[in-house]
Amino acid sequence: MLGDKAIGRLTTTASYMMLRSQRPEPGPLASFLHHESDAKQYTTRINPRAVSWNTYGSGVVISALAPGIRYDLCDAEDESGEATLWLRESYRGSRGFGSWATVEYAPNSTEYEVTTYGDRDLWAEASNAWLHWCSLGQPTRDRFGLTVSATGQSIWLDVPANIIA
């Protein structure tokens, strides 16, 4: 505590301690696809296998700059090496109304098909946040910190003055 602020470094995750409001909408992935006929498609050169919240540090930046997105990377069952990255908004009720995206991975490909629906382009948000993390030099989680005050919160890199979100 420093005056009316709490300042500290991020050290590890506590995903087992999610608040009820942070818990994702339950249900099978396919049940989150709705309005498929209204979805947009485009291609990206960013490998969806690289964009991961699991990388030690990238999850901090992606979660800060692209909040409320749940992701799953599902490998094809036929052992082809193909995979689908599923992105969806995680608030209650998002199954029928939230934004979603899928990104198709194929080995040896340099372009990947994106399908997106909703007010938010979840792939654009997540991949831009991941690229920002890369531009920062791919810092590890222990280099990030959090400042919380009565007026809000901020996430910073290395020192509290270096705010990233």
Side-chain angles (χ1 to χ4, degrees), residues 56-130:
Y56 202 66
S58 65
V60 174
V61 178
I62 295 172
S63 294
L65 298 179
I69 299 176
R70 175 125 172 121
Y71 74 98
D72 290 280
L73 181 64
C74 301
D75 292 311
E77 294 179 7
D78 62 6
E79 298 184 28
S80 63
E82 295 179 355
T84 301
L85 177 65
W86 296 71
L87 304 170
R88 62 194 182 281
E89 288 186 297
S90 59
Y91 63 85
R92 290 278 179 203
S94 60
R95 178 180 295 120
F97 303 100
S99 297
W100 57 265
T102 59
V103 188
E104 301 298 329
Y105 171 83
N108 304 316
S109 189
T110 58
E111 288 195 339
Y112 310 94
E113 183 179 299
V114 178
T115 304
T116 185
Y117 170 80
D119 295 335
R120 297 171 66 186
D121 183 338
L122 302 185
W123 172 249
E125 287 184 39
S127 60
N128 286 336
W130 179 79

Side-chain angles (χ1 to χ4, degrees), residues 14-163:
S15 59
Y16 61 91
M17 296 291 293
M18 290 198 298
L19 301 171
R20 285 192 177 134
S21 64
Q22 295 172 320
R23 294 178 187 158
E25 178 82 359
L29 287 173
S31 71
F32 287 86
L33 296 182
H34 53 84
H35 297 90
E36 290 178 75
S37 61
D38 296 326
K40 299 174 190 138
Q41 291 189 318
Y42 61 91
T43 60
T44 182
R45 291 188 166 277
I46 300 171
N47 183 335
R49 282 191 172 281
V51 178
S52 171
W53 284 250
N54 291 334
T55 305
Y56 202 66
S58 65
V60 174
V61 178
I62 295 172
S63 294
L65 298 179
I69 299 176
R70 175 125 172 121
Y71 74 98
D72 290 280
L73 181 64
C74 301
D75 292 311
E77 294 179 7
D78 62 6
E79 298 184 28
S80 63
E82 295 179 355
T84 301
L85 177 65
W86 296 71
L87 304 170
R88 62 194 182 281
E89 288 186 297
S90 59
Y91 63 85
R92 290 278 179 203
S94 60
R95 178 180 295 120
F97 303 100
S99 297
W100 57 265
T102 59
V103 188
E104 301 298 329
Y105 171 83
N108 304 316
S109 189
T110 58
E111 288 195 339
Y112 310 94
E113 183 179 299
V114 178
T115 304
T116 185
Y117 170 80
D119 295 335
R120 297 171 66 186
D121 183 338
L122 302 185
W123 172 249
E125 287 184 39
S127 60
N128 286 336
W130 179 79
L131 288 169
H132 185 65
W133 173 72
C134 291
S135 76
L136 295 170
Q138 300 181 350
T140 56
R141 178 185 301 273
D142 59 347
R143 290 183 54 201
F144 292 97
L146 176 68
T147 299
V148 179
S149 70
T151 58
Q153 66 183 27
S154 59
I155 294 177
W156 43 267
L157 178 63
D158 297 325
V159 294
N162 190 14
I163 296 171

